[in-house]
Amino acid sequence: MKKDILKFPISVLLCNFVFLSFSISLIAQEYTLVWSDEFDEDGKPNPAYWSFENGFVRNQELQWYQDDNAYCKDGMLIIEGRREKKPNPLYVKGSNTDWRRSRPFIEYTSSSLKTAGKKEFLYGRFEIRARIPLESGSWPAIWTLGTTMEWPSCGEIDIMEYYRINNEPHLLANVAWGTDERYKAEWRTQAVPFRHFLEKNSNWGKEFHVWRMDWEENSIKLYLDDELLNEVSLNKTVNGAWSNYTHPFKQPHYLLLNLALGANGGEPDVLAFPMKYEIDYVRVYQKKEQVVRPGRLWLDDRGEHINAHGGGVLYHEGSYYWFGEHKSENSNAALVGINCYSSNDLVNWKYEGVALPVSDDPKSEITKGCVMERPKVIYNEKTGKFVMWFHLELKGQGYKAARSALAVSDNVTGPYTFVRSERINKGFYPFDMPEDIRKLQFDPEKYSTWWTPSWYKAVENGLFLKRDLEEGQMARDMTLFVDDDGKAYHIYASEENLTLHIAELTEDYTGHTGKYIRVAPGGHNEAPTIFKRKGTYWMITSGCTGWEPNAARLFSAPSIWGPWKQHSNPCRGEKSEITFGGQGTFVQQVYGKKDAYVFMADMWRPKFPIDGRYMWLPVKFEKDIPYLEWMDEWDLDFL
């Protein structure tokens, strides 16, 4: 049975056509369908969406979960509870400490489906149309769990549960999270006696109904046929000390659909089997963003927090492409690779996939577990190639390698092919370094103590540059810049992060010509970002304080080759001394608007890297000098 999917959620038909039209228009502006399963193909549920729980799982329920009990037929997902007896493969004679092992036989079977690792969402409108079994013993549910931490610290949202309380059937809508004690939950529960619904509709049990969750950053609202059952403010739903006061409802969750038997469902009615729980569809909608909200969770078209850290943007043929590091939950190492997203408005982003994956080959320079940082992509008009450079650290070597890595592609979104990594500009001095300075020689032992006046002078005169002359120069935090004449430049933190280099790339952008300069020797700058406005080159950098934010620095020059002049901190207002908690990664020009630029920065979360936030702010100008001010939200009309 093929079903039409509205691009907006309408759960109940309205009699007044004018009001219906207005409602459709209003909701259409708010929500867009991002995923659904209509169960239109007969057979097993789509394995790209669903996996199964197996065995005796929780709550000392009677059923053994298995995938055989779930199937699609006539446009429905059917979860079937069956009464069937077979040996329990977990049974241990005499076991009295584990209920899963103490039962010699399985007497009931059912299914529990979940989208974990396949479809996970943060915020949105979730709609599930279903017909539930009401007989004694049934415990159907529609619920979600967070993707991190153990229960209940992961967070649980029960969009629907049906079971018996004091032997009276109830429909429940619940939210739970962690406390100071392991495995002990704090609940916000609303249990509505089933008779409440029967009094409205005596045929309720024979019909399909729509359960809905509206999950926003500050609240969760749970509905049944548009009747609000439970509303929970998320201001206080914070885990206790056991999970370090984390927030379980500001992370992605996955969906579960299951039919439990016994336990809270009561003693099963043996005449009710096979018992059928029928789901017509599952749909997830999310709001299309109209504004940029610095520091807030930023969701892609799948409803997942954008994972493109240390990134840069390429504008190509009318679209923006954002490339950045994929961060995992517990590691800043590269376990996936470099992601790509696309947008036509810099606000709403579509996930395009992994542009450059890590390698499974342990001998590869980009093997899983290496460090791939600050990827930037530029397009070469002459070769038709998309060229990516990034900072690479070899696996197991910390930040010792400080290499520049190259990958190329024929397509903007990839896949990109890794070409090589290297220390760059081997054997070349900066073209503007005077001959007498080039001839200076240093005894490394004499400068083993850092930060002394003589050490600073030696750094200014090329102490580390000369050390690395034969091997090639270090390059860590970096960006790329293509000038008006098509020439491209690689800007990076070098010489133990003490000095910035600006290096010219070859005509095809895949190598270095050997022409480069040093900027602010010994100034300890990293995180360079660069843009050009009215013939002046501007560069915003940061100091070197690890993952902790610091005050931004501003430089300008009349030519890419300098001379570069340092200005005062470009940030203004509260927390300007820590760049509002962020660190720059790129400045993107907004095409189609005059004199409009966006400063892109990351707000790092080193203890939970995947949750790092993005701080994008419009660049403002006063007397032609750029500055930054915090804005809670802004849109492109502001620029």
Side-chain angles (χ1 to χ4, degrees):
M1 182 179 72
K2 188 67 176 177
K3 297 180 283 291
D4 292 328
I5 308 174
L6 296 175
K7 295 299 181 183
F8 39 85
I10 296 295
S11 300
V12 179
L13 290 176
L14 304 175
C15 295
N16 188 306
F17 179 77
V18 174
F19 184 59
L20 172 61
S21 300
F22 173 78
S23 300
I24 290 175
S25 175
L26 180 63
I27 297 174
Q29 293 173 13
E30 288 190 29
Y31 286 98
T32 300
L33 183 74
V34 295
W35 174 73
S36 73
D37 196 344
E38 306 296 315
F39 308 112
D40 285 332
E41 299 294 329
D42 286 359
K44 301 302 295 182
N46 190 338
Y49 300 159
W50 305 99
S51 59
F52 291 87
E53 296 189 290
N54 291 287
F56 293 127
V57 177
R58 64 182 72 87
N59 300 325
Q60 298 194 39
E61 297 156 358
L62 296 179
Q63 81 289 336
W64 175 274
Y65 280 135
Q66 58 188 25
D67 58 7
D68 287 348
N69 293 56
Y71 56 93
C72 300
K73 185 177 181 181
D74 297 330
M76 304 286 175
L77 168 65
I78 299 171
I79 302 176
E80 198 166 79
R82 299 171 186 160
R83 190 165 180 255
E84 52 183 334
K85 188 171 183 178
K86 51 188 177 181
N88 176 9
L90 303 178
Y91 176 63
V92 176
K93 188 175 182 180
S95 174
N96 56 10
T97 59
D98 185 347
W99 62 275
R100 296 171 179 84
R101 299 178 182 276
S102 63
R103 299 172 176 176
F105 295 101
I106 297 165
E107 296 184 331
Y108 296 90
T109 61
S110 187
S111 282
S112 176
L113 295 82
K114 59 183 181 179
T115 66
K118 299 174 184 286
K119 291 294 175 181
E120 298 168 350
F121 304 94
L122 176 64
Y123 307 143
R125 172 166 288 184
F126 298 68
E127 284 194 350
I128 300 91
R129 184 174 186 264
R131 179 163 58 192
I132 63 174
L134 304 175
E135 295 86 357
S136 179
S138 68
W139 184 357
I142 304 164
W143 52 307
T144 78
L145 290 173
T147 58
T148 64
M149 297 178 287
E150 63 189 13
W151 186 91
S153 299
C154 62
E156 176 180 334
I157 307 170
D158 299 321
I159 301 172
M160 181 276 289
E161 286 191 282
Y162 170 85
Y163 61 71
R164 282 160 170 71
I165 301 175
N166 296 326
N167 207 35
E168 181 179 2
H170 284 70
L171 279 159
L172 295 95
N174 313 316
V175 176
W177 62 96
T179 62
D180 292 342
E181 184 179 339
R182 191 180 191 185
Y183 301 135
K184 183 177 181 181
E186 180 80 17
W187 289 90
R188 291 292 181 272
T189 296
Q190 185 64 41
V192 183
F194 182 55
R195 64 177 183 274
H196 166 78
F197 302 98
L198 282 179
E199 288 170 357
K200 294 182 177 183
N201 179 4
S202 60
N203 289 321
W204 195 99
K206 298 178 181 179
E207 298 173 354
F208 281 83
H209 302 275
V210 176
W211 281 269
R212 186 177 100 223
M213 171 172 68
D214 286 352
W215 176 18
E216 298 182 343
E217 191 165 4
N218 296 315
S219 69
I220 292 172
K221 298 177 182 179
L222 303 173
Y223 297 83
L224 170 52
D225 291 335
D226 284 333
E227 179 180 348
L228 179 63
L229 301 186
N230 197 358
E231 179 176 358
V232 179
S233 170
L234 299 186
N235 294 331
K236 297 182 180 179
T237 57
V238 178
N239 287 322
W242 182 263
S243 294
N244 298 318
Y245 305 103
T246 51
H247 204 305
F249 304 114
K250 296 191 176 181
Q251 63 158 329
H253 278 224
Y254 61 89
L255 278 160
L256 299 98
L257 304 172
N258 71 288
L259 174 57
L261 302 169
N264 284 352
E267 185 65 26
D269 178 358
V270 297
L271 300 178
F273 292 90
M275 190 180 289
K276 291 186 178 181
Y277 173 19
E278 301 163 284
I279 298 99
D280 184 19
Y281 59 74
V282 178
R283 296 173 183 171
V284 180
Y285 303 82
Q286 290 186 325
K287 291 183 178 180
K288 185 174 182 180
E289 287 290 353
Q290 304 296 326
V291 296
V292 175
R293 296 184 175 89
R296 305 279 285 275
L297 287 165
W298 201 345
L299 308 183
D300 64 14
D301 63 312
R302 306 165 301 165
E304 300 180 16
H305 183 44
I306 293 170
N307 201 334
H309 306 274
V313 171
L314 169 67
Y315 182 77
H316 183 70
E317 294 184 349
S319 295
Y320 297 93
Y321 296 89
W322 178 1
F323 298 87
E325 312 156 25
H326 182 285
K327 295 287 191 185
S328 66
E329 294 172 6
N330 303 309
S331 175
N332 282 294
L335 303 180
V336 174
I338 293 168
N339 285 337
C340 177
Y341 297 80
S342 66
S343 174
N344 57 16
D345 61 9
L346 288 173
V347 179
N348 296 281
W349 292 90
K350 176 185 177 183
Y351 178 64
E352 297 287 355
V354 181
L356 176 64
V358 295
S359 174
D360 291 326
D361 181 357
K363 296 180 180 180
S364 171
E365 293 177 338
I366 59 168
T367 190
K368 184 181 293 186
C370 69
V371 174
M372 303 166 72
E373 292 185 340
R374 307 224 167 211
K376 305 295 184 289
V377 175
I378 51 180
Y379 177 65
N380 191 287
E381 296 275 359
K382 295 180 179 179
T383 65
K385 299 285 187 181
F386 297 91
V387 181
M388 175 190 293
W389 286 94
F390 58 96
H391 163 216
L392 175 67
E393 298 291 348
L394 304 178
K395 183 177 181 180
Q397 295 188 23
Y399 276 73
K400 178 183 176 182
R403 298 173 75 85
S404 297
L406 170 69
V408 298
S409 177
D410 293 325
N411 301 301
V412 60
T413 57
Y416 284 74
T417 300
F418 176 68
V419 178
R420 67 178 184 276
S421 77
E422 60 189 354
R423 287 284 190 91
I424 56 181
N425 290 322
K426 296 178 184 179
F428 288 94
Y429 281 104
F431 77 89
D432 61 343
M433 179 176 277
E435 191 64 31
D436 59 332
I437 301 298
R438 296 187 188 195
K439 291 179 179 179
L440 290 177
Q441 296 185 0
F442 300 99
D443 179 1
E445 293 185 5
K446 185 178 177 181
Y447 302 99
S448 58
T449 301
W450 287 30
W451 315 120
T452 65
S454 61
W455 176 88
Y456 269 114
K457 187 63 176 178
V459 169
E460 183 180 348
N461 288 330
L463 172 64
F464 295 110
L465 182 144
K466 293 178 180 182
R467 179 199 67 183
D468 297 335
L469 191 64
E470 292 185 7
E471 181 185 1
Q473 299 302 317
M474 305 174 77
R476 292 187 177 133
D477 281 8
M478 57 140 290
T479 191
L480 299 178
F481 174 72
V482 179
D483 211 339
D484 301 334
D485 59 4
K487 287 188 176 181
Y489 302 89
H490 182 192
I491 302 96
Y492 52 92
S494 190
E495 303 177 34
E496 301 291 354
N497 276 21
L498 292 163
T499 303
L500 293 171
H501 289 187
I502 299 179
E504 184 181 68
L505 294 177
T506 56
E507 190 174 352
D508 62 3
Y509 303 166
T510 65
H512 294 74
T513 66
K515 184 179 181 180
Y516 69 101
I517 62 166
R518 305 164 78 218
V519 178
H524 222 197
N525 286 277
E526 64 177 8
T529 71
I530 189 169
F531 67 102
K532 184 179 182 181
R533 177 180 181 264
K534 295 183 178 180
T536 298
Y537 298 80
W538 295 98
M539 184 158 53
I540 301 174
T541 71
S542 84
C544 300
T545 52
W547 297 107
E548 297 299 322
N550 56 63
R553 289 96 175 268
L554 177 66
F555 297 84
S556 69
S559 163
I560 192 72
W561 300 123
W564 286 90
K565 171 187 174 182
Q566 185 166 357
H567 303 260
S568 59
N569 183 352
C571 298
R572 299 181 181 181
E574 187 178 357
K575 295 186 178 181
S576 59
E577 75 282 1
I578 56 170
T579 315
F580 316 116
Q583 184 186 45
T585 184
F586 200 70
V587 172
Q588 175 60 43
Q589 183 177 356
V590 181
Y591 289 89
K593 288 186 172 289
K594 184 179 179 181
D595 213 23
Y597 304 86
V598 177
F599 176 73
M600 298 167 50
D602 283 271
M603 306 175 83
W604 303 111
R605 302 270 177 102
K607 294 182 179 179
F608 191 30
I610 197 172
D611 191 41
R613 306 299 174 86
Y614 307 102
M615 189 190 81
W616 289 23
L617 293 170
V619 180
K620 303 178 182 180
F621 297 91
E622 184 176 78
K623 296 181 179 179
D624 283 335
I625 296 176
Y627 69 96
L628 303 169
E629 286 184 322
W630 178 261
M631 300 181 71
D632 288 331
E633 61 180 46
W634 57 275
D635 60 28
L636 294 184
D637 289 337
F638 177 84
L639 295 169

